[in-house]
Amino acid sequence: MVNRLENRQKEQQFIDFLKFRKLRKTPERFEILRMAIEFDGHFDVDLLYNSMEKKGYHVSRATIYNTLELLSECGIVRKLLFDTHQARFEIAEQTHSHLICTNCGDIIEIDLECIDKNIQAMQFNGFSPSYVSTCIYGVCSKCMEKRENCKK
């Protein structure tokens, strides 16, 4: 889990971003930021919405989505578009790759530092990459085990 100093830094980064964009600093936006920081791994709007509802904090899905877009623009979260039609998010920390199970949808983070750094160092004419996310699709060990058990 992210420590308090990092949380304050992310909060200040968001405050600076909102001020620069001349947007309001609403309590809802900062509660969404706090809840997003608490997640360990990937999350989507529905998961964040349900977590906030469970804690008694009522905010619309649209507000959550719009705030996540702002958090993505200012570099606090990354918006990930895997092989699904629903965006997922994660706290933007270090570059890593993803193993994605095509059967159950599980996402496992792995370190392919040498590949990701080489891709990040590449020059693209007319394009400035902000981060690299390598996705490897396949079947996870749990799903492979289920398949093997069905064959028996």
Side-chain angles (χ1 to χ4, degrees), residues 81-132:
L81 300 169
F82 296 122
D83 210 20
T84 63
H85 298 289
Q86 186 174 20
R88 296 198 190 174
F89 299 86
E90 67 182 359
I91 297 301
E93 290 173 341
Q94 64 204 44
T95 301
H96 57 267
S97 298
H98 300 94
L99 299 177
I100 302 164
C101 181
T102 56
N103 193 42
C104 69
D106 274 358
I107 301 167
I108 302 162
E109 292 181 359
I110 59 169
D111 184 13
L112 290 179
E113 188 175 335
C114 62
I115 293 172
D116 290 340
K117 280 190 178 179
N118 285 336
I119 293 172
Q120 216 165 17
M122 292 173 72
Q123 300 282 322
F124 299 96
N125 192 19
F127 185 80
S128 176
S130 51
Y131 68 92
V132 174

Side-chain angles (χ1 to χ4, degrees), residues 13-150:
Q13 180 180 346
F14 194 40
I15 289 168
D16 294 344
F17 174 81
L18 293 172
K19 186 184 280 187
F20 176 76
R21 294 276 308 269
K22 295 182 172 68
L23 298 171
R24 293 182 314 132
K25 294 177 279 217
T26 65
E28 292 83 6
R29 287 178 173 160
F30 286 92
E31 188 60 29
I32 292 165
L33 170 61
R34 285 193 263 313
M35 292 292 294
I37 289 171
E38 286 181 18
F39 275 99
D40 186 29
H42 305 97
F43 59 92
D44 60 24
V45 170
D46 289 333
L47 189 58
L48 191 56
Y49 173 82
N50 291 331
S51 294
M52 293 183 78
E53 284 289 316
K54 283 180 188 170
K55 290 192 175 189
Y57 204 91
H58 306 290
V59 63
S60 72
R61 282 180 172 85
T63 299
I64 292 172
Y65 184 81
N66 291 333
T67 301
L68 288 173
E69 288 291 323
L70 291 173
L71 291 170
S72 178
E73 283 180 47
C74 79
I76 294 173
V77 302
R78 284 194 189 120
K79 182 179 182 180
L80 303 167
L81 300 169
F82 296 122
D83 210 20
T84 63
H85 298 289
Q86 186 174 20
R88 296 198 190 174
F89 299 86
E90 67 182 359
I91 297 301
E93 290 173 341
Q94 64 204 44
T95 301
H96 57 267
S97 298
H98 300 94
L99 299 177
I100 302 164
C101 181
T102 56
N103 193 42
C104 69
D106 274 358
I107 301 167
I108 302 162
E109 292 181 359
I110 59 169
D111 184 13
L112 290 179
E113 188 175 335
C114 62
I115 293 172
D116 290 340
K117 280 190 178 179
N118 285 336
I119 293 172
Q120 216 165 17
M122 292 173 72
Q123 300 282 322
F124 299 96
N125 192 19
F127 185 80
S128 176
S130 51
Y131 68 92
V132 174
S133 176
T134 308
C135 297
I136 301 170
Y137 295 88
V139 180
C140 71
S141 59
K142 287 183 255 174
C143 290
M144 284 191 289
E145 188 177 312
K146 284 180 189 175
R147 284 183 184 173
E148 290 300 317
N149 289 335
C150 288

